[in-house]
């Protein structure tokens, strides 16, 4: 989500009130230019009438998924779900949700907060732990949509077995947040 | 009492006029009644006090009001000190407002009445206030002020309050690390900010009030400045958008090359700043102009062609006799009205560039090592594949498809490998294959080394017999053979590495290592083969120059022998000037000779500098032409001829090219080695390199987006690019060896450069110490450079290295112990 490549830097959009901008800078890992750029990208997703008060508008999920950075991502639906604060459960995002998302994915975010959100993204059934079903769905997301690229059920079984062997410290058959963070903190690639 | 009542009544009315005194209206009356009821005998005290009160009216008045307000809260006697203070602070701020109101209110009479009335009403409340004060003293809290009758906040309370404020500040600073929704973060932030603001005001009472408020304000300004500076710094990073776009199309491994390029650009900018600002500009502005000295003038013989484009492209002619090269600089100790020490500056800039480069490369390596986490690669193999394999920077569906395919393949491979690792034979087979592959690679290296040795010997034989007798091949045999080896051996290594079956990242490292060994080996055999023939001192100039132009310029390297001959010739020439005009043994007025006509001594430093510059330029040209032909024309060919060709050009041969990361990175590193080697002799080299990197960035970014396709196996480059850094450090070390050697051991040319006339280049330091520093400094330096002091110092450094190494090993072992413990706990459970 750091690749905001196609935005042309036009005139300064100071449509965010200054004190709010300062607060956003305090509360996210983004710099001022990045917040303004995010604001521009966000308002482009809105229909023209609503662009004036983009700060309080909500963008439906289908619109968010048209962003190129999310379009190619296998976890697009989970990401929208995790960062959305919509009360109706339709996974629409407000500008603040959008900022939250960008802040977590930015380069300067700490590994702690990234792993926290990664856990929530991978937790497909939202029960706070990664059990077998979650892991299976995770693998299916990663191997793409085509039929020939999916793993056979024997391979899947083997894979999940190996993963649980490696990461499940208390042997309860699931991976909780601290186990997840332990595994991921050792990885140079995360 | 009646009169009192009347007055009090009026006082009450007056009070009602005062701002914000609503609450106070009720309680003083009740209190007064209580006071009257209780403390009749205290009246005498009150009267005395009243006199005293009238004397020191305003201050006491204020404190009275505060006391009264404090008395308001007397009912809540077991209130927390914080709340008490809070209320006091609130009351105080309200009272201050009231003060202002009173003063603004204007009518002195009214004010006086009010004061009087207040005093009167206060009389009765004073006892309450005294009681309250006693209570407060026990609680040890009350808004202090510079007035003498206020109690100070005790240290304990102050410290506690400060601690709370600090906590809130820390909370504000770490709020962005909390995984909360923005709404919650905003509300927590606002609350914390309000708290901090309120109490920073209250804390600032006491002796250090002004200083504390000042400190707080400076802190706020500093934080704002830091934030703005961070924003500015991020905005200043060049090419960020370009690199992000490439990342989204090609993944992070290709982008890592461009990030490396950008980092190199930064280093070269600094080197350029040093050489330009401290060497080239002072000489150009303050040194003797062109044409005033023999070393600064184009010789008469070359004058005709000095301005030709061909000459300038070759960096001779006017380009040679300018600030761009070593030879132009004069050996005057100081130049210009600023008394700028030119030779010293030249020397220090040379040494400083090397020192700076070492420092920054080592620092980057250390930073990368930190990020690495220091973990071993194998323990969480599958989990890492699962959780960290997706590259979130990919924004292009085609790359995403490739990535999916590669993830699937890697899963399948890992499963199969893990299953097979349970069977013993396959490990041995893999190991055998790897040993075989290494053996083959060694054979290739040895073979290429021998070939070069053989060819160089042959060419020397040809040279002895006279080159005219032989055709083109014999003349350029060495160059061609070395270039061909450089082209084909890496492909051979690629084929060999398919035997080894490594993860692509590891295979890349092996590949890079082997190519590196190939180039080094070739160069060293080349040098060794030449060693016997060339003047022993001069051979070190060959180190790391690429093979193209060396043979053509062996004369330059023999210049040291030439020097003696030229010196002899010059004395003869000078004598010939005076011949016949003036008798010998008398001092003659110097005859004016045009500097262009003076015979010149050889200037090997400039020649070496020119070599490096030519190499850099030709390298640059080669790279650009390779990109244009190899990538662009190929892509055009594949794209447009695909319609009328027998087989599918896009999927078969030749198809679009992939971006060759290892080749480009190596090229960049070797190029930088060239710069480091040559910048002492040609101060213009960093400038040329900055230009080259700048255009490289744009050209390669365009070429990658336009002509390349994402790699089949898209693997993520981990953030620790320590392998490239290690190579860079090694090259840096090897490149600076020649320059350091020449500074220390070889006499500079007698006729050109800032060190001419000295026996060794580093003598400029001792000269500066003699002339520009007080004498004791020179003595200290003399002692410090005594080997008796240097050797123990080196010994100390070696010991500290050993100690640090031992400490780090012990940390690693402790880490392993903890890991084992974790695993055993796991097994127990």
């Amino acid at each position: 989500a750091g690749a905001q490549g196609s935005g042309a830097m036009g005139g300064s959009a100071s449509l965010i009130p200054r004190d709010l901008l300062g607060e956003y800078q305090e509360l996210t890992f983004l710099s001022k230019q990045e917040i303004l750029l995010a604001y521009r990208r966000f308002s482009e997703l809105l229909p023209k009438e609503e662009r004036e008060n983009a700060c309080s508008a909500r963008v439906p999920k289908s619109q968010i998924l048209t962003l190129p950075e999310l379009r190619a991502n296998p976890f697009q639906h989970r990401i929208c779900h995790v960062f959305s604060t919509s009360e109706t459960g339709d996974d629409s995002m407000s500008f603040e949700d959008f900022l939250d998302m960008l802040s977590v994915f930015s380069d300067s975010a700490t590994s702690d907060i990234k792993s926290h959100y990664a856990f929530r993204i991978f937790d497909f059934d939202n029960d706070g732990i990664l059990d077998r079903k979650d892991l299976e769905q995770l693998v299916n997301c990663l191997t793409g949509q085509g039929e020939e690229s999916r793993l056979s059920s024997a391979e899947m079984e083997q894979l999940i077995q190996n993963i649980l062997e490696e990461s499940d410290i208390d042997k309860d058959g699931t991976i909780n947040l601290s186990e997840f963070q332990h595994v991921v903190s050792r990885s140079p690639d995360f | 009492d009646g009169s009192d009542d009347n007055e009090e009544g009026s006082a009450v009315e007056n009070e009602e006029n005062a701002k914000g005194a609503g609450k106070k209206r009720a309680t003083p009356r009740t209190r007064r009644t209580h006071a009257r009821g209780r403390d009749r005998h205290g009246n005498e005290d009150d009267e005395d006090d009243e006199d005293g009160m009238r004397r020191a009216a305003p201050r006491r008045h204020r404190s009275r009001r505060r006391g009264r307000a404090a008395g308001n809260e007397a009912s809540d006697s077991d209130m927390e000190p914080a709340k008490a203070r809070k209320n006091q602070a609130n009351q105080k701020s309200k009272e201050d407002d009231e003060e202002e109101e009173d003063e603004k209110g204007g009518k002195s009479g009214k004010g006086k009445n009010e004061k009087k009335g207040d005093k009167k009403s206060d009389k009765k409340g004073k006892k309450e206030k005294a009681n309250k004060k006693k209570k407060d003293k026990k609680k040890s809290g009350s808004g202090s002020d510079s007035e003498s009758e206020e109690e100070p906040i005790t240290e304990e309370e102050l410290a506690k309050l400060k601690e709370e404020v600090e906590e809130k500040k820390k909370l504000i600073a770490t709020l962005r690390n909390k995984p909360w929704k923005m709404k919650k973060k905003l509300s927590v932030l606002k609350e914390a900010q309000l708290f901090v603001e309120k109490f920073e005001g209250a804390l600032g009472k006491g002796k250090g009030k002004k200083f504390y408020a000042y400190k707080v304000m400076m802190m706020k300004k500093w934080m704002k400045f830091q934030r703005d500076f961070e924003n500015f710094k991020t905005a200043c990073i060049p090419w960020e958008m370009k690199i992000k776009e490439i990342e989204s199309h090609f993944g992070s491994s290709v982008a890592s090359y461009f990030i490396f390029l950008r980092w190199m650009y930064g280093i070269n900018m600094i080197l350029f700043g040093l050489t330009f600002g401290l060497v080239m500009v002072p000489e150009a502005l303050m040194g003797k102009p062109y044409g005033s000295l023999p070393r600064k003038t184009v010789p008469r013989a070359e004058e005709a062609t000095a301005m030709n484009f061909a000459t300038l492209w070759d960096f001779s002619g006017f380009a040679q006799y300018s600030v761009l090269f070593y030879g132009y600089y004069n050996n005057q100790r100081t130049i210009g009205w600023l008394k700028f020490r030119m030779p010293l500056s030249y020397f220090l800039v040379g040494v400083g560039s090397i020192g700076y480069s070492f420092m920054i490369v080592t620092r980057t390596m250390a930073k990368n090592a930190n990020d690495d986490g220091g973990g071993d690669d194998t323990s969480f193999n599958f989990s890492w594949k699962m959780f960290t394999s997706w590259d979130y920077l990919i924004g292009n569906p085609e790359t995403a498809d490739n990535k999916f395919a590669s993830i699937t393949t890697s899963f399948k491979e890992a499963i199969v490998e893990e299953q097979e690792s349970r069977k013993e034979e396959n490990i041995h087979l893999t190991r055998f294959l790897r040993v075989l592959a290494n053996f083959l690679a060694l054979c290739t290296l040895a073979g290429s080394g021998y070939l070069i040795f053989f060819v160089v010997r042959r060419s020397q034989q040809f040279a002895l017999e006279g080159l005219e007798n032989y055709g083109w091949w014999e003349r350029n045999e060495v160059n061609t053979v070395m270039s061909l080896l450089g082209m084909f051996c890496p492909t051979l290594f690629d084929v060999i590495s398919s035997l080894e079956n490594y993860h692509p990242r590891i295979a890349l490292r092996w590949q890079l290592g082997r190519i590196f060994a190939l180039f080094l080996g070739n160069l060293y055999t080349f040098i060794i083969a030449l060693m016997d023939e060339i003047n022993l001192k001069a051979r070190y100039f060959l180190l790391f120059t690429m093979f193209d132009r060396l043979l053509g310029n062996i004369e330059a390297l023999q210049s040291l022998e030439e020097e003696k001959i030229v010196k002899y010739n010059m004395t003869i020439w000078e004598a010939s000037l005076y011949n016949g005009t003036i008798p010998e043994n008398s001092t003659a007025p110097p005859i004016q000779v045009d500097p262009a006509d003076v015979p010149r001594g050889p200037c090997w430093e400039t020649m070496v500098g020119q070599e490096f510059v030519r190499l850099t330029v030709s390298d640059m040209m080669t790279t650009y032409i390779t990109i244009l032909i190899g990538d662009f024309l190929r892509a055009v060919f594949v794209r447009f001829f695909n319609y009328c060709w027998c087989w599918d050009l896009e999927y078969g041969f030749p198809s679009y090219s992939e971006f060759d990361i290892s080749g480009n990175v190596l090229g960049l590193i070797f190029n930088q080695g060239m710069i480091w080697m040559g910048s002492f002799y040609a101060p213009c080299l960093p400038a040329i390199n900055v230009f080259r990197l700048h255009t490289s960035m744009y050209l390669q970014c365009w070429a990658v987006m336009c002509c390349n396709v994402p790699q089949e196996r898209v693997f993520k480059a981990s953030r620790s690019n320590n392998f490239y850094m290690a190579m860079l450090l090694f090259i840096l070390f090897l490149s600076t060896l020649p320059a350091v050697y020449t500074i220390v051991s070889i006499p500079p040319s007698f006729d050109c450069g800032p060190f001419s006339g000295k026996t060794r280049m580093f003598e400029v330091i001792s000269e500066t110490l003699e002339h520009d520093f007080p004498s004791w400094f020179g003595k200290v330096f003399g002692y410090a450079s005594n080997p008796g002091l240097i050797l123990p110092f080196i010994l100390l450094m070696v010991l500290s290295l050993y100690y640090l190494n031992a400490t780090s090993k012990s940390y690693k072992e402790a880490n392993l112990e903890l890991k084992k413990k974790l695993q055993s706990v796991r097994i127990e459970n």
Side-chain angles (χ1 to χ4, degrees), chain B residues 712-729:
Chain B
E712 295 250 328
R713 299 195 73 166
V714 183
F715 63 91
K716 231 190 317 191
S718 32
R719 277 177 301 156
S720 59
N721 284 327
N722 259 358
F723 186 65
Y724 296 154
M725 287 295 156
M727 274 194 7
L728 192 63
L729 189 66

Side-chain angles (χ1 to χ4, degrees), chain B residues 349-405:
Chain B
V349 161
V351 172
S353 319
I354 296 173
Y356 169 75
S357 309
F358 265 112
M359 208 182 64
I360 197 141
V361 172
T362 322
R363 198 181 80 155
T364 315
M365 277 183 83
K367 223 195 298 183
N368 282 344
N370 265 347
D371 287 343
D372 212 351
D376 40 0
D377 267 340
T378 56
S379 50
F380 292 115
N381 209 4
F382 283 97
S383 308
W384 285 346
K385 275 203 211 304
M386 176 89 118
F387 297 131
T388 66
S389 57
W390 181 256
D391 189 351
Y392 284 83
L393 294 161
I394 291 178
N396 181 20
E398 189 186 323
T399 321
D401 285 338
N402 279 354
K403 186 69 175 162
F404 286 137

Side-chain angles (χ1 to χ4, degrees), chain B residues 133-197:
Chain B
K133 270 193 185 173
K134 281 184 201 147
K135 279 193 211 157
D136 277 352
K137 261 190 184 144
K138 284 188 202 149
K139 286 186 199 168
S140 66
S142 144
S144 65
D145 205 341
S146 42
E147 287 93 10
S148 45
E149 66 182 37
E150 292 300 323
E151 308 102 31
I153 305 181
T154 61
E155 285 307 307
E156 191 188 296
E157 288 293 320
L158 193 63
K160 206 166 169 200
L161 187 57
K162 263 197 185 140
E163 199 184 295
E164 281 175 31
V165 170
E166 288 304 311
E167 249 179 66
K168 287 286 181 192
K169 277 194 190 158
K170 220 192 305 176
L171 176 65
I172 293 180
T174 57
L175 207 48
R176 54 171 76 126
N177 286 341
K178 302 251 189 276
W180 297 334
K181 295 285 177 225
M182 185 68 86
K183 264 209 183 76
K184 182 170 175 191
K185 283 195 278 189
L186 270 172
S187 66
V188 169
L189 175 74
K190 285 204 170 79
E191 181 196 316
Q193 273 176 342
L194 269 168
F195 183 90
V196 166
E197 264 176 47

Side-chain angles (χ1 to χ4, degrees), chain A residues 25-26 33 82 149 166-167, chain B residues 176 181 227 231 235 383 408:
Chain A
Q25 274 187 288
E26 263 315 311
Q33 298 95 323
V82 164
S149 59
E166 283 174 355
S167 327
Chain B
R176 54 171 76 126
K181 295 285 177 225
R227 199 198 297 167
N231 283 346
S383 308
T408 313

Side-chain angles (χ1 to χ4, degrees), chain A residues 123-135:
Chain A
D123 186 9
F124 283 84
D125 48 14
N126 291 321
D127 58 358
I129 46 170
L130 298 181
D131 56 12
R132 279 183 167 251
K133 282 203 310 312
D134 288 329
L135 293 176

Side-chain angles (χ1 to χ4, degrees), chain B residues 39-59:
Chain B
D39 302 323
R40 227 173 276 253
H41 56 86
N43 269 347
E44 300 90 51
D45 299 342
D46 291 345
E47 277 179 14
D48 287 342
D49 282 351
E50 192 174 15
D51 290 343
M53 274 196 288
R54 286 211 186 102
R55 258 175 260 137
R59 277 171 41 197

Side-chain angles (χ1 to χ4, degrees), chain B residues 31 46 49-50 52-53 56-71 95 115 118-127 129 133 149-150:
Chain B
R31 225 186 333 114
D46 291 345
D49 282 351
E50 192 174 15
M53 274 196 288
R59 277 171 41 197
R60 301 233 167 178
H61 163 63
R62 217 190 299 146
S63 61
R64 290 244 155 208
R65 289 170 125 197
R66 199 178 301 115
R68 192 173 9 114
E95 283 146 6
K115 282 183 201 169
D118 285 346
K119 279 177 210 162
K120 283 240 167 147
S121 56
D122 270 343
K123 256 195 303 185
K124 313 300 177 186
K126 198 191 159 209
K127 205 68 184 215
K129 187 183 141 199
K133 270 193 185 173
E149 66 182 37
E150 292 300 323

